[in-house]
Amino acid sequence: HLMKNSEWGAVAYLAQSKYGRNGNEITINSKNLSNSIYVNNASSGTKANVYAVTGYGNKDTANDVSASTTNNMSGIFDLSGCVWERVAGYKKGGAASTPTWHNSMASSSTSESSEYLTLYESYGDHYGDAVKETSGSSSSTSGSWNSDYSYFVSSSDPVFSRGGDYGNGGIAGSFAFIVSGGYPADGGGFRAVLVP
């Protein structure tokens, strides 16, 4: 399933703990291919619209463990930078633009979170998801953990995105979150969670 906002928060906390990076911030993945990959030929033709690449840290090489939650290969990569990752965290009653399923989930009559999504009525109505307790306010970087960006979902932008993208610099991070209307973007993506 699409990673829930609460699942992202659990991973962010573990990464910050002694079981992860022990208080050290995950290195921001700022690798940008500037749309330089070609679809059919290595040097000409149609470009693939690729901007961000996974697994890059501050050494500008693939599989750089500084971009991992555990500072080794067994960790989770790219919670800081790369792309803003949409998570299943929604403002209840919001009106997302596209795709339709974002709008359906954000404006559904569901009254509480489930195993597949986290619903929010207002800023601070959930704890443990690394939103209220790690941000200085509902919209700022001031006072936020690691100076990560925080901007809480609204009725017009009801979909949470987490982590920041390759161009966000110091405001990106595992505790960063921002709003989205659910529309496609070159700096946006998602993460799947496999449950046995």
Side-chain angles (χ1 to χ4, degrees):
H1 63 267
L2 179 67
M3 183 178 243
K4 288 173 54 176
N5 201 32
S6 55
E7 290 170 330
W8 182 289
V11 173
Y13 281 132
L14 283 170
Q16 188 78 5
S17 77
K18 68 179 183 178
Y19 302 104
R21 299 185 60 93
N22 201 25
N24 296 308
E25 189 172 7
I26 299 168
T27 298
I28 297 167
N29 177 349
S30 58
K31 181 68 173 175
N32 180 3
L33 292 179
S34 299
N35 197 25
S36 62
I37 305 268
Y38 291 96
V39 175
N40 299 320
N41 184 314
S43 60
S44 65
T46 305
K47 292 190 176 179
N49 297 319
V50 174
Y51 290 86
V53 184
T54 62
Y56 279 78
N58 57 10
K59 296 178 185 167
D60 200 31
T61 58
N63 301 320
D64 181 357
V65 297
S66 70
S68 160
T69 57
T70 55
N71 209 33
N72 61 43
M73 288 302 293
S74 66
I76 299 170
F77 283 76
D78 303 322
L79 291 187
S80 180
C82 194
V83 295
W84 280 105
E85 295 188 37
R86 289 184 193 95
V87 293
Y90 305 94
K91 171 79 170 165
K92 188 172 182 330
S97 54
T98 59
T100 304
W101 65 269
H102 274 309
N103 190 32
S104 297
M105 292 180 102
S107 59
S108 75
S109 60
T110 303
S111 60
E112 59 186 43
S113 299
S114 73
E115 62 183 313
Y116 298 113
L117 64 105
T118 309
L119 286 176
Y120 294 83
E121 296 270 347
S122 62
Y123 177 69
D125 62 355
H126 290 279
Y127 289 94
D129 57 5
V131 172
K132 167 83 168 123
E133 60 271 32
T134 63
S135 60
S137 71
S138 62
S139 60
S140 77
T141 57
S142 177
S144 298
W145 287 16
N146 299 328
S147 296
D148 291 352
Y149 190 77
S150 63
Y151 201 97
F152 193 74
V153 289
S154 66
S155 295
S156 59
D157 288 312
V159 181
F160 267 100
S161 291
R162 301 294 297 253
D165 73 21
Y166 57 85
N168 286 137
I171 67 167
S174 60
F175 297 109
F177 59 91
I178 195 170
V179 301
S180 168
Y183 46 82
D186 64 4
F190 64 93
R191 187 178 301 256
V193 174
L194 302 175
V195 180

